[in-house]
Amino acid sequence: MSGFDWIVPVILTIITAATPLVFAGIGELVTEKSGVLNLGVEGMMLVGAVSGFITALVTGNYFLAVAAAALAGAVMAFLFGVLTLSLMANQVATGLSLTLFGVGLSALMGQEFVGEPVSALGKLDIVGLSDLPFIGPILFAQDALVYLSFVMVALVSWFLYKTKAGLILRAVGDSHNAAHSIGYPVIAIRYLAVMFGGAMSGIGGAYLSLAYTPMWAENMTAGRGWIALALIVFATWKPGLVLVGAYMFGGITILQLHAQAAGLNVPSQILSMLPYLATVLVLVLISKDESRIRKHAPACIGKIFHPAA
């Protein structure tokens, strides 16, 4: 046995830890690019996780499970949109309320399913490639959602920077009054962006309950929604850097798990704090350069749009 045999399992666990962050982060990035700040990512992920799990348990169809999770996340986001875009409620307060609502709703929906196992989302087996040493299991033997996460990052990047619709979305986020003055439906565009973000968060939650740990447990997101929100600032609202940040934070998560398994003489509570301490540290370091944030952040993020103005 080679002394480097541990590398492949570590990389595989990093991929599974990062994938839900990629989905939630890329969805929230589109939401924020439209000028809306939705702090309810954690709640949408939880509702997506329980909806996907229940659907998989009842039907055995994982395509329907992922679709149900995306729909559940989109519905949660739609409720957020009604309150903030139509009724003009404060986005920060509403987002926090959405997280609390999602925590309670997911616990209620899943109370009869706690601890129930399901078969983990199947891995793809590409004949002739999956069995290759080292790169085979890493590149050619992942589940479909891992590949979808990369596809979504590429699609969002293409949409934002290569299409007219993406240009309009960014214009709405940078100056909603100007976009409205030339005839673009600001509210409708933001509804679509918010619901896309909710759907992606729902899929991220479903990955946790169907692949990462194929079971349902209350609060199983364990703060990943908040890390996804921090990823957007870390990535300076760029899709490619969201992917990089997700794998960085996923690596930190796995590092602390392997450190605990190795019996490192450090209290497990401190090791468990590492991903969140890293998140806070990154945000503190980034926030020191306010000009960098102002340069990349959508100018109208979090601001209420008054159509009559």
Side-chain angles (χ1 to χ4, degrees):
M1 295 289 288
S2 168
F4 296 98
D5 287 347
W6 58 272
I7 295 177
V8 171
V10 168
I11 292 176
L12 293 176
T13 50
I14 289 174
I15 291 172
T16 58
T19 298
L21 296 177
V22 175
F23 279 115
I26 206 67
E28 178 62 17
L29 181 141
V30 172
T31 298
E32 294 190 13
K33 278 289 190 180
S34 74
V36 178
L37 177 63
N38 185 355
L39 298 182
V41 176
E42 182 88 354
M44 294 186 295
M45 289 183 74
L46 280 168
V47 173
V50 72
S51 299
F53 176 81
I54 292 172
T55 303
L57 190 66
V58 172
T59 68
N61 188 313
Y62 285 82
F63 176 81
L64 289 179
V66 173
L71 179 61
V75 169
M76 289 282 286
F78 177 76
L79 294 176
F80 171 85
V82 169
L83 292 171
T84 59
L85 301 177
S86 296
L87 301 180
M88 301 184 187
N90 180 274
Q91 292 180 12
V92 173
T94 305
L96 293 173
S97 300
L98 188 70
T99 286
L100 296 175
F101 176 65
V103 170
L105 179 62
S106 62
L108 178 63
M109 292 172 63
Q111 62 181 340
E112 297 181 5
F113 303 94
V114 174
E116 290 280 346
V118 293
S119 299
L121 193 63
K123 307 286 186 180
L124 300 184
D125 185 9
I126 304 175
V127 178
L129 295 177
S130 299
D131 296 329
L132 290 174
F134 191 76
I135 65 171
I138 295 173
L139 298 180
F140 305 111
Q142 300 294 335
D143 59 72
L145 287 183
V146 171
Y147 297 116
L148 180 62
S149 69
F150 284 92
V151 170
M152 291 310 304
V153 171
L155 283 177
V156 166
S157 183
W158 169 80
F159 170 78
L160 288 175
Y161 301 110
K162 300 295 183 180
T163 68
K164 180 180 178 181
L167 177 62
I168 293 171
L169 178 75
R170 289 186 288 125
V172 167
D174 285 329
S175 180
H176 48 217
N177 288 327
H180 175 69
S181 68
I182 57 177
Y184 291 118
V186 172
I187 298 298
I189 290 170
R190 285 183 169 174
Y191 261 110
L192 291 174
V194 165
M195 291 177 68
F196 174 81
M200 290 296 100
S201 293
I203 294 175
Y207 188 83
L208 291 172
S209 61
L210 299 178
Y212 189 71
T213 52
M215 60 181 294
W216 165 248
E218 290 184 18
N219 296 316
M220 68 184 305
T221 50
R224 288 178 176 85
W226 301 109
I227 293 178
L229 283 162
L231 276 179
I232 311 303
V233 182
F234 166 82
T236 59
W237 291 267
K238 297 176 182 176
L241 289 180
V242 168
L243 181 67
V244 172
Y247 274 78
M248 185 186 77
F249 284 108
I252 294 172
T253 301
I254 295 306
L255 173 65
Q256 60 93 7
L257 292 177
H258 281 277
Q260 291 184 43
L264 191 66
N265 190 25
V266 176
S268 61
Q269 293 84 354
I270 293 178
L271 293 174
S272 298
M273 285 164 39
L274 283 178
Y276 311 103
L277 288 175
T279 303
V280 173
L281 178 61
V282 166
L283 289 178
V284 168
L285 293 175
I286 291 175
S287 65
K288 288 185 176 181
D289 187 358
E290 293 184 8
S291 62
R292 182 169 178 261
I293 295 177
R294 286 197 302 269
K295 178 181 177 181
H296 296 285
C300 290
I301 190 168
K303 297 181 180 178
I304 294 176
F305 172 64
H306 301 273

